Amino acid sequence: MQRDYVTRAIRLALEEDIGTGDVTSAVTVPAGARASGHFLAKSPGVVSGLDVAAATFREVDPRVAFIALVRDGDRVVPGDLIARVAGEARSLLAAERVALNFLQRLSGVATATARYAEAVTGTGARVIDTRKTTPGMRLMEKAAVRHGGGHNHRFGLSDGILIKDNHLAAIGGPDRVARAVAAARAGAPHTLRVEVEVTSLDELEQALAAGADVVLLDNMAVDQMAEAVRRTRGRAILEASGGITLETIRRIAETGVDLISVGALTHSAPSLDISLELTLETGDATGE
Amino acid sequence: MQRDYVTRAIRLALEEDIGTGDVTSAVTVPAGARASGHFLAKSPGVVSGLDVAAATFREVDPRVAFIALVRDGDRVVPGDLIARVAGEARSLLAAERVALNFLQRLSGVATATARYAEAVTGTGARVIDTRKTTPGMRLMEKAAVRHGGGHNHRFGLSDGILIKDNHLAAIGGPDRVARAVAAARAGAPHTLRVEVEVTSLDELEQALAAGADVVLLDNMAVDQMAEAVRRTRGRAILEASGGITLETIRRIAETGVDLISVGALTHSAPSLDISLELTLETGDATGE
Amino acid sequence: MQRDYVTRAIRLALEEDIGTGDVTSAVTVPAGARASGHFLAKSPGVVSGLDVAAATFREVDPRVAFIALVRDGDRVVPGDLIARVAGEARSLLAAERVALNFLQRLSGVATATARYAEAVTGTGARVIDTRKTTPGMRLMEKAAVRHGGGHNHRFGLSDGILIKDNHLAAIGGPDRVARAVAAARAGAPHTLRVEVEVTSLDELEQALAAGADVVLLDNMAVDQMAEAVRRTRGRAILEASGGITLETIRRIAETGVDLISVGALTHSAPSLDISLELTLETGDATGE
Amino acid sequence: MQRDYVTRAIRLALEEDIGTGDVTSAVTVPAGARASGHFLAKSPGVVSGLDVAAATFREVDPRVAFIALVRDGDRVVPGDLIARVAGEARSLLAAERVALNFLQRLSGVATATARYAEAVTGTGARVIDTRKTTPGMRLMEKAAVRHGGGHNHRFGLSDGILIKDNHLAAIGGPDRVARAVAAARAGAPHTLRVEVEVTSLDELEQALAAGADVVLLDNMAVDQMAEAVRRTRGRAILEASGGITLETIRRIAETGVDLISVGALTHSAPSLDISLELTLETGDATGE
Amino acid sequence: MQRDYVTRAIRLALEEDIGTGDVTSAVTVPAGARASGHFLAKSPGVVSGLDVAAATFREVDPRVAFIALVRDGDRVVPGDLIARVAGEARSLLAAERVALNFLQRLSGVATATARYAEAVTGTGARVIDTRKTTPGMRLMEKAAVRHGGGHNHRFGLSDGILIKDNHLAAIGGPDRVARAVAAARAGAPHTLRVEVEVTSLDELEQALAAGADVVLLDNMAVDQMAEAVRRTRGRAILEASGGITLETIRRIAETGVDLISVGALTHSAPSLDISLELTLETGDATGE
Amino acid sequence: MQRDYVTRAIRLALEEDIGTGDVTSAVTVPAGARASGHFLAKSPGVVSGLDVAAATFREVDPRVAFIALVRDGDRVVPGDLIARVAGEARSLLAAERVALNFLQRLSGVATATARYAEAVTGTGARVIDTRKTTPGMRLMEKAAVRHGGGHNHRFGLSDGILIKDNHLAAIGGPDRVARAVAAARAGAPHTLRVEVEVTSLDELEQALAAGADVVLLDNMAVDQMAEAVRRTRGRAILEASGGITLETIRRIAETGVDLISVGALTHSAPSLDISLELTLETGDATGE
C-alpha cells in the first residue's frame, strides 16, 4: 500500500542518517529552541515529492508544521519558495537532509520527464518510464514521472506481460515471436495485455499475426519505426524503446508510435537543486 | 550491520519489482529451463556493487551461480565482461532488472568519483562524499565512493560533528562560531572531532582559536581558500565545499586544502551502462 | 516475492501457535528422541500446499526430512499417503498443527475448484477465482485454484482493471458504462485490459461500443447470458459472475461465456481431512 | 499484543490486495469524490470482526468514518444493516474487499459456533474450539468463537498442556498414560493444568489415578463417554473430541461431559454473506 | 518461536553495536587476517547463553567456528575455558562484545539462581522466577534460571492466572479473594490453574474455600507461612513471595511452602566475569 | 532513530509479556472499569526511563494518562512519588510490569552512575560508560548514564575508533602501537579521533609519538597512571579503564586522568526498587 510503502522508505532513510542521534545538534542547539524556514528552488524544474518531504518531518517529530507552497507537478524557477517548515530546531535539523534527498531526487525525475514530454508535444506519443528505477523508490519515481507529464509502463513483473529478447531466446526458433505471443495469450490472466519486443519488421508481422496487443520496437531506426507504424494499421499499440535522447525523441514521436519509453528518466536524472534555509525563532525557547 | 542492510535493500527492491510473480516468464519460459549469460560494460567506468548484484540473484534463487570477472573498483571499457550468471532461466529473468539497477547505479557513483579523484591527482587533497545520498542506499553508495578512489565523510548524524550554518543561526551573535565550537568540545563524546562550517576568514580565525579540529570552507573563492590554508598553518584539517565541479576541483585542490566534498558524486551521477545478455542452455530442461 | 511471502506467512502462523514454546513436549518427550510419520488422506480430494507444509517443518527445524509422495494438483482418496516426515520428535510435534492447517485449507480450495472445473469439462469456459480470499493467504490460495484446475483472475487491485458497480455509481448517468470504459482506456497503463461489470444487455452494448476488452455479466439469468454471448460476437471476453453454484455452473458454461468466477472456491471451501500419524523411532534417542 | 496483532494482519491483507495501487479507481473515480454506504447482511448469522473491518478502513485512510450498527456477537437476518462507512470514494473502494474478507470469515466462524452452542443449550457442556484455525488469524477466530457463544481451548502450545496420542507414542508402554501425566505434573509450570488424551476407559482410569486435571475422550462412542463421566466422579474435567457434528453434539452433551471441542468451527465454516453497497455523495468533490 | 526470538534479539544487539560498520578494524586489521581465541571464566559461576553467543558469531559471519567447551548449566571456576572461536579476525572483533554481553548477563542470572537453589537443597521447595526480567530477554533469562537449577513461573500474562493485589482492588469487598477466585474458575480456559495472592491467613482460607489451585503468600512472616502450610493441608500449591534474600530463603523453604519466587534472579543479578582473548593466526591471511 | 528505537523495544517487551492477552484481568476485572495509581520509590536513587514508561502505557492504550512528577536525573528517596497513571484498569494492569521493568532497570543504571560520579566530584575526571550494555537497550542505558551524571563513550563500533589489545595483536611487533595509530590516522574518516589502548608507559610514548588523540590506560596501577598523566602533558586525552570500583575511583581521578570508564554502570547495576500501587476508581465503569 502506498502509505506504508512511503513510511517504510522514510524510516529506512532516517535510520541511515540519524543513527543513534544527531550529536551536533545535541551539543550546539538548545533543547526547545524553535526555528522555521523555507525550501527554495535554486534551478528551474518540476517539483515532486512534497508529500514524502512532509512525511519525513512528521516521522521525526509529529509537531513540525510543513506547508507546501506549490503542488507536485508545478514548475519552479530559481528563487521560488516551495514549502515552509516550522518547529523545534533540533527536529528540523534532524529531518532536513533526508527530506531534501527525497525532494531533490524526485523533482529531478519530474524535471527530466518534463523535458522529454515537452519535446513530443503535439504528436500523439506518450513518454513512458521503465523498470530502471532506484531500488526502493520505484513507486515514488513512477509518481514523479507522472508529475513531469509522463506516463507509466508496468510497475513490476506482475502487472504486465512484456516478452523480451531473453524470453524469446528461451523459446527459440524462427517463429519464436509468434509462439511466445500465442503462449502468453493462452496462459496469462485475462486482465493483462500481451506485449512483445521485436527487432525487425518480420518479427513485427509475426507478433501482429499472433495477436499481440502491444509491440515494443527495440532500437529500430526512425524510418524503420515509421514503416512499422504503417504496417501495423492500428492493430496493436506500438512502443519505441532503446537509447532515446532529448535530441532524437521528437523525430521518433513523429513516426506515429504510441509510446516512447526512456530509461534515463529514472536511472540518470540529476537531482534538482533545492535548499532549506532555517532561521532561529528567538524568544520561543523559554515559552516551551 | 552491513549484511543485514544489503539484504533488506535487496528484498525491498525485489518486492517492488516481482510483486505477486513474474507473469511473463511463467507463461513463456518452461519451468526448469536453464540459461546463462554475462554482464557486459557498454560505457567506460569503474565497477561497484558486484556483491549486491550477486546477493540479488541468490535472494531470488540460492542455486544461481554468479561469478564476478572483475572486482569492485576495477575500471572497465565497452565490451568488457563484468560477471557471469547461470541457473534456472526463470530465476535469472526475475532477478535481472534489480541486479542491474543496483550495479549500474553504484558503478555510476564509482565512475563519477573516479573522475573527480583523478582530477586532483598529485595534490594532497582527498575527494570526499556528503550525506546527499539516495535514501536507502547510503552505505552502498559510500562504498562506491571508495571504489572510485574517494574517501568518506561521516555516515550520518551520529558519527561526526559538523556545525553548519543552521546550527550557527541557532546560537547567534558575532562570536557564534567560537561559542559553537566551545560548546561542542565541552559536550560531545571524546571520540569525535569537532568540525565547523565557516564562510569567511574571520570565522576561520574564530574557529581555530576555539580549537576546532576541522573547518569546512563553505563556497569560498579559490584565493580565499588559499589564504585560509596559509592562516591555518596545519592547526586544523580544512575541507572545501560548495558547488565544486570537475572544472574547478583541480584549482581548489592546489590551494592546499585537505578535503574536497562533492555532493554530485551521489546525488547526480548517471548510471553506468551495463547490460545482461542471456542464452538458453538447450537440453538442460529435461535433466532437471 | 513468492519465497519471502510464504516464509512470512509460516512464521506468523508458528508464532501464533508455538508462542514461548511447546510445554507439553518439553515435559513428556525426551530431548533427542526421534520420530517419523506420514500424512494420510481421510477424504477424497486434490492436494495443494505441499511446499508450504514442507517449509513449515524446515522453519521449525532445518534437519527435519519432509518427502512429498504426491504432487500439488494430484487427486487422493482416503488412505492415500501424501507425504512422510522424519526428525526430532519435538520438532515434528511443534510444526505438525501449523503444517496441517496450511495443507488442509489449501487442499480444500483445490478440491472445491476441481469440482467446479469438472462440471464445465468440454465447454470452452474456464473457472476462475475472485479476491474473496483468506487475508494473508491470497497467493497460496490462488496457486491452490490452479492446482484444482481453475484459473486466476487478477491478484489484486494493481494488476487488473475491473470497473464494478461502485465505480459506476461514482461516475453516474445513463451512459456511465461507456464513460467509465473510455476513462479507463485513456488513463490506464497500456499493459492492462479494461474490464467492466454490466447488469443488462444495454450496458453490455455500451461497454462493447466503448471498447471494453472484457465484460463481467453480473448475476444475469442464463438465457440473458446466452444472448450476451450472441451479441458480443467475440469482440470481448465475457465473464459470468454472481451466486454461481455446482448446480448452475454447467448451464452457464454452455452459454458460451469465456470465464466463470466463483467466490466460494476460496471463501467457503471446507478443509480437506488429512491427518499426521507419528511413530517414535526407538533406540535413536541414545545415538543423538 | 492484540492491537499490534490485528494491525499486522490487516497490513498484510491490504498489501496483498492493493499492491502498487488501485488502478481502476485511479482512472475512473475522481480524486476527492466522496461516497458512503452500508454493510448489509444477506444471510442469517452472528456478526464478528467489526473492529477488524473498522481498522481496515482506518489503515487505508484515517479519515474514513466507520460506524458499527450492531455489536460483535449480535445476530442478524437478511436485510439487517451491520455498519455504515463514509469517506473518500477511492479509500472506501481500496479497503472494501479486505474489510469484507475479514468480516465475512469471522462472522462465518461466529455463526457456525452459535449453531453448535445452541444445540447444547440447557446441558452443562461448553462448546470449545481447537488449534485448527486459519494461519495468521487465530486470535481473531478465537474471539469469533466467543462471539458465537463458544469458549476457547488453549491459544497455542505454550498456554496449555495437552498430551496427545503422538506424545504417548513417544513415551510408550502399557502405562504410558500414567507415566506421561506424572512427567507433566513434575516438569510443567505450576500455572498450567495437565490434560491428557485417552481412547479407552482403561486409559481414563490411568489418567485419573496419575492426577490428570483434564481428560480428553478421543472419538469415544456416546455410551462410553457416559461411562467415563460416571467413573470420573468429578475428579477431572472431561472433554469430548473427534468428528463431532451438529447432529451428534446434543447427545454427547447429555452424557455429562464438561467440554466438547469442534474443529469445524474454524477449519470449515463458510463465510457469512455480507455486502457493501456504496453511493456517491454528489456535490462533495468540489468542496474538498 | 524460540529460534526466531533469539535471532531477532541478536540482530537488534548487533545493529546497536555495529551501526554502519566497525571503523577501527577496517583501518587496523587486514582484510582476510584470521584469528582464534577462547572465552575464559574470570569468576566462579554457572554458564548460560552458549547458544546465543554462538549464534551471534554466526549472524555476523556464518564461517566463524564456535565450539562450546562446557554446557549451559555447567559450573566454572576462574581460569576455566568456556568456548573457542576461530575465523576472520574482523568478524570475531565485530561480534565479540555482543556475544559477551549476552553470555555474561545470562551466566549472571544462572549463577544467581544457583546460589538460591543451593540454599534450599534438601527441602521440597523450588526456586522460581518472576516477570521482572530484562525487556526483550525474557525467554533467554527464563532458560538461564533453569540452567541455574531454578524453575519458571508463567512466561507472561497469557499462560497463567495470577490474581494480584491490584486485581483484588478492582473487585473490592471483604470477600474479594473468594469472588475473584470464583470469577477466574468460571471464566478462564480450562487449561490454566487459578492462582491468587493473599496477605493474611483469613484470605488464605477464602482462597482455599473458593477452590484456588495455587496461593501466593505475599510478604508473610516466616511463622505465618508455616501456619499457612498447616492450614492448607495440601489442598493448594503454596508460593512464598516478597523481598526474599539468600539470607532468608532457607528458613522460608523449611516452612514447607512449595515454591519461592525471587525477582532478583533476573532484575539484579550482576554479570558473570568472562573475557575473550584473541590471537592472530599468522600466515593465514595470504591463504585466503 | 530514537523514537523508533524506543517504540520497537517497548513492543518487543509487551509482546513477550502480554502474548495472546492478559487472561487474569479478562476474567476478574470488568471491561471499562477505571483505575489510577502512582509509581513510588522504595529505595533512594536517581530516576531514568520516565519517557519509556510513559510510552509503554501509551502503546498498550493511547488513552491512558501518565504524568511524571519528577524528571529523569532527579534524585528520589523512599516514599517519593515518581509518576501518576490513570485509565482503564485492564490497560494499566497489562502495561504495569513492562513499564516497571524499564523504569527500574534504567533508574538502577542512573543510580549506580550517580554514585561513581559523586566519588570523583571536584577532580577534573569524567565517569564514562562502555559497550557492556544490555542487548537491545544500549541507547536507553546510555541516556541513563547521562541522567546519573556520567558521560558517554562511543555508542558503537561506527562512531569511534578504539584500538584494543586484540587489534594490536593483529598488527604485531614491538612497534605495534605506533603502527596501529598511524594506520588509523591514515585510513579513518576525518570526523573521528583516534584512541588506542596501552598497558605500559612505553606504549603510551609510542601512542603519543604517533599522534594518538586519546589513550586508554588499561588496568594500570594508580602511580603508573599518575606518571602517564605527567608524561602526556596534555598532548592527548587519557582514559583510565579496567576493574574500577567505588573504592578505587577517587584515587584514580586524582591522578589527573580525563576519563574513567566503568563497565559496571550498565552490566551489573541492580534495579532500583519502585512499585506501582493502583486503586479502582469506583462508579466510573458505568459512565464508560
Side-chain angles (χ1 to χ4, degrees), chain D residues 135-176:
Chain D
M137 294 185 65
R138 182 166 291 171
L139 270 64
M140 291 178 264
E141 291 188 342
K142 292 252 168 189
V145 165
R146 295 193 300 272
H147 294 141
H151 290 78
N152 299 138
H153 204 301
R154 59 179 174 171
F155 277 65
L157 294 170
S158 58
D159 65 326
I161 292 175
L162 174 45
I163 307 166
K164 306 193 73 173
D165 51 355
N166 285 327
H167 299 95
L168 294 172
I171 297 240
D175 59 345
R176 63 190 182 280

Side-chain angles (χ1 to χ4, degrees), chain C residues 20 23 30 78 82-83 89 91 93 129 147 151 162 188 197 201 207 211 222 247 250-252 257-258 272 283 288:
Chain C
T20 54
V23 193
I82 292 174
S91 299
L93 289 160
D129 53 30
H147 293 143
H151 291 77
L162 175 44
E197 175 178 323
L201 294 171
V222 171
E247 284 65 42
R250 179 82 201 176
R251 286 187 54 221
I252 292 168
V257 295
D258 304 287
L272 186 66
E288 180 99 330

Side-chain angles (χ1 to χ4, degrees), chain A residues 28 31 67 75 77 81 86-87 92 100 105 121 123 135 142 176 202-203 215 222 242 247 251 261 272 275 278:
Chain A
T28 63
I67 298 152
R75 288 175 177 282
V77 295
L81 299 186
L92 299 184
L100 276 168
R105 178 167 300 265
T121 307
T123 70
K142 292 252 169 191
R176 61 190 183 282
D202 276 3
E203 287 183 351
V215 181
V222 170
E247 285 65 44
R251 285 188 54 222
S261 56
L272 186 65
S275 71
L278 294 180

Side-chain angles (χ1 to χ4, degrees), chain A residues 231-242:
Chain A
R231 293 202 192 175
T232 300
R233 278 175 291 118
R235 285 177 292 165
I237 300 165
L238 292 183
E239 172 184 347
S241 184

Side-chain angles (χ1 to χ4, degrees), chain C residues 11 14-15 18-21 58-62, chain E residues 1-5 8 11 138-139 155-156 159:
Chain C
R11 285 189 183 160
L14 287 171
E15 203 180 290
I18 301 188
T20 54
R58 264 201 313 275
E59 184 68 30
V60 166
D61 179 352
Chain E
M1 188 183 30
Q2 291 276 61
R3 204 152 52 95
D4 251 27
Y5 174 88
R8 187 166 63 171
R11 284 188 183 160
R138 182 166 292 171
L139 270 64
F155 276 65
D159 66 327

Side-chain angles (χ1 to χ4, degrees), chain A residues 1-4 8 11 139 155 159, chain D residues 11 14 18-20 58-60 62:
Chain A
M1 190 184 29
Q2 292 275 61
R3 203 151 55 93
D4 250 28
R8 188 166 62 170
R11 285 188 183 159
L139 270 65
F155 277 65
D159 66 327
Chain D
R11 285 187 183 161
L14 287 172
I18 301 188
T20 55
R58 264 202 313 277
E59 185 68 30
V60 166

Side-chain angles (χ1 to χ4, degrees), chain E residues 235-257:
Chain E
R235 285 175 293 164
I237 298 165
L238 292 182
E239 172 183 347
S241 184
I244 290 153
T245 65
L246 268 177
E247 284 65 44
T248 59
I249 194 169
R250 178 84 200 175
R251 285 188 53 221
I252 292 167
E254 289 172 345
T255 62
V257 295

Side-chain angles (χ1 to χ4, degrees), chain B residues 145-234:
Chain B
V145 165
R146 294 193 302 272
H147 294 141
H151 291 78
N152 299 138
H153 205 300
R154 60 179 174 171
F155 277 65
L157 294 171
S158 58
D159 66 327
I161 292 175
L162 175 44
I163 306 167
K164 307 195 72 174
D165 51 355
N166 285 327
H167 300 94
L168 294 172
I171 298 240
D175 59 346
R176 62 190 183 282
V177 167
R179 283 163 55 220
V181 171
R185 286 177 60 93
H190 71 271
T191 52
L192 302 179
R193 293 219 177 88
V194 173
E195 176 167 4
V196 67
E197 175 177 323
V198 302
T199 55
S200 68
L201 295 170
D202 276 4
E203 286 183 352
L204 170 65
E205 300 283 8
Q206 267 191 50
L208 293 171
D213 299 302
V214 191
V215 181
L216 182 152
L217 309 173
D218 182 44
N219 273 304
M220 282 195 184
V222 171
D223 51 0
Q224 212 178 1
M225 286 196 224
E227 175 63 18
V229 171
R230 277 190 293 276
R231 293 202 191 175
T232 300
R233 280 174 290 119

